[in-house]
Amino acid sequence: MWSVLKARAKQTAKPYPYPQRLPVLPQRFRGLPSLDASRCQEGCQACAEACPTDAIQVAPWQLDMGRCLFCGRCEEACPPHALTFTREFRLAARKREDLVVSPEKQFQLAQALDRELAALFGRSLRLRQVSAGGCNACEADANVLGTVTFDMARFGVQFVASPRHADGLLVTGPVTENMREALLATYEAVPQPKIVIASGACAISGGPFAGFPAVHNGVDKFLPVNLYVPGCPPHPWTLLDGILRLLGRLREQRENP
């Protein structure tokens, strides 16, 4: 018993000093897509044809991060390597249309809530997580925010078990027909005012399940969404950064990681 306590006392595990220090991301991480249009070959549609979710359109070229699975097939299919995924992990946006990026349009980081909501939730936010038909990948990466490394609670943000104790919902999954009523009932149980966060490609657009009759292609078909966090699943740092920006806890400027 004492040896266990002594070993625990020697552990140096502590929260990563984000946002003072940028996180160390894995080598396979794919972040904000970037296109060098000068390298594109005339008439080439290889990236669009390789995309499994039709997230890419050509003429004019644009990529919808709300549909993107960040699988990298488009990058591999691009002969002149015009399309690449950067290591920029800050991808959350307030508006659905802001997730559509192109060479002519600079990606806009998520803006903070209005003054009234920021005053209510800026220093204390309780979220009820709802898996509306998710595969558990988004759910797992959201739960990681409660571990020592991320320690979301140090910012005053926590997940709670009951919607009656929550300030908003964090929704994952494409909203299957079987989960539609449960999602709406959970939303109604959250006291006013409340916010909704759509986390992951499925919650934003249906992801790989878009168009299937058993799903509703995202949460904003039913509920007003305050924050969109793209990814399949979103990296925990992406989700945490988006929540902090929504609460006005981070500056809007972007520095290269």
Side-chain angles (χ1 to χ4, degrees):
M1 179 66 180
W2 287 110
S3 61
V4 174
L5 293 176
K6 289 172 63 177
R8 180 66 184 87
K10 292 181 180 179
Q11 290 180 357
T12 58
K14 56 184 178 181
Y16 191 85
Y18 186 79
Q20 289 78 16
R21 187 187 304 171
L22 292 175
V24 178
L25 299 167
Q27 290 296 322
R28 295 187 301 173
F29 176 79
R30 298 187 183 95
L32 184 68
S34 174
L35 179 74
D36 184 355
S38 64
R39 292 188 177 185
C40 289
Q41 300 172 352
E42 185 175 357
C44 179
Q45 301 184 8
C47 57
E49 293 172 353
C51 181
T53 57
D54 296 328
I56 299 177
Q57 295 182 6
V58 295
W61 190 93
Q62 62 181 25
L63 189 152
D64 183 357
M65 289 197 296
R67 300 174 65 94
C68 182
L69 305 182
F70 294 81
C71 62
R73 292 185 183 180
C74 54
E75 186 177 25
E76 296 172 358
C78 184
H81 304 292
L83 175 60
T84 57
F85 284 89
T86 70
R87 298 181 61 75
E88 177 55 68
F89 66 95
R90 291 160 287 198
L91 305 174
R94 289 293 308 278
K95 300 178 181 177
R96 178 67 179 87
E97 55 268 28
D98 287 343
L99 294 177
V100 180
V101 296
S102 68
E104 296 80 20
K105 179 184 175 184
Q106 185 177 6
F107 174 64
Q108 297 295 320
L109 285 169
Q111 303 291 320
L113 292 166
D114 60 45
R115 182 173 300 179
E116 181 180 358
L117 289 178
L120 286 172
F121 303 140
R123 301 185 66 83
S124 177
L125 178 68
R126 301 293 182 265
L127 294 171
R128 176 69 169 94
Q129 197 272 320
V130 178
S131 177
C135 69
N136 286 339
C138 291
E139 293 84 345
D141 273 6
N143 288 336
V144 164
L145 296 180
T147 60
V148 172
T149 299
F150 299 93
D151 191 17
M152 182 173 62
R154 64 186 151 139
F155 301 105
V157 185
Q158 291 180 311
F159 290 116
V160 294
S162 171
R164 299 188 186 281
H165 301 160
D167 303 308
L169 301 181
L170 188 146
V171 183
T172 56
V175 188
T176 60
E177 174 57 25
N178 287 343
M179 280 299 298
R180 178 181 59 84
E181 185 174 349
L183 172 64
L184 297 178
T186 305
Y187 179 77
E188 290 300 321
V190 178
Q192 293 283 2
K194 46 193 167 186
I195 65 173
V196 175
I197 298 173
S199 182
C202 289
I204 297 173
S205 66
F209 310 106
F212 282 72
V215 303
H216 292 284
N217 301 338
V219 64
D220 61 3
K221 307 296 185 299
F222 302 102
L223 305 177
V225 174
N226 300 90
L227 183 70
Y228 295 90
V229 187
C232 184
H235 194 281
W237 287 122
T238 302
L239 179 56
L240 179 60
D241 180 84
I243 294 174
L244 294 181
R245 291 185 186 280
L246 182 69
L247 300 179
R249 304 287 292 273
L250 293 179
R251 294 180 305 167
E252 297 181 359
Q253 292 82 2
R254 182 199 303 275
E255 298 85 15
N256 293 324

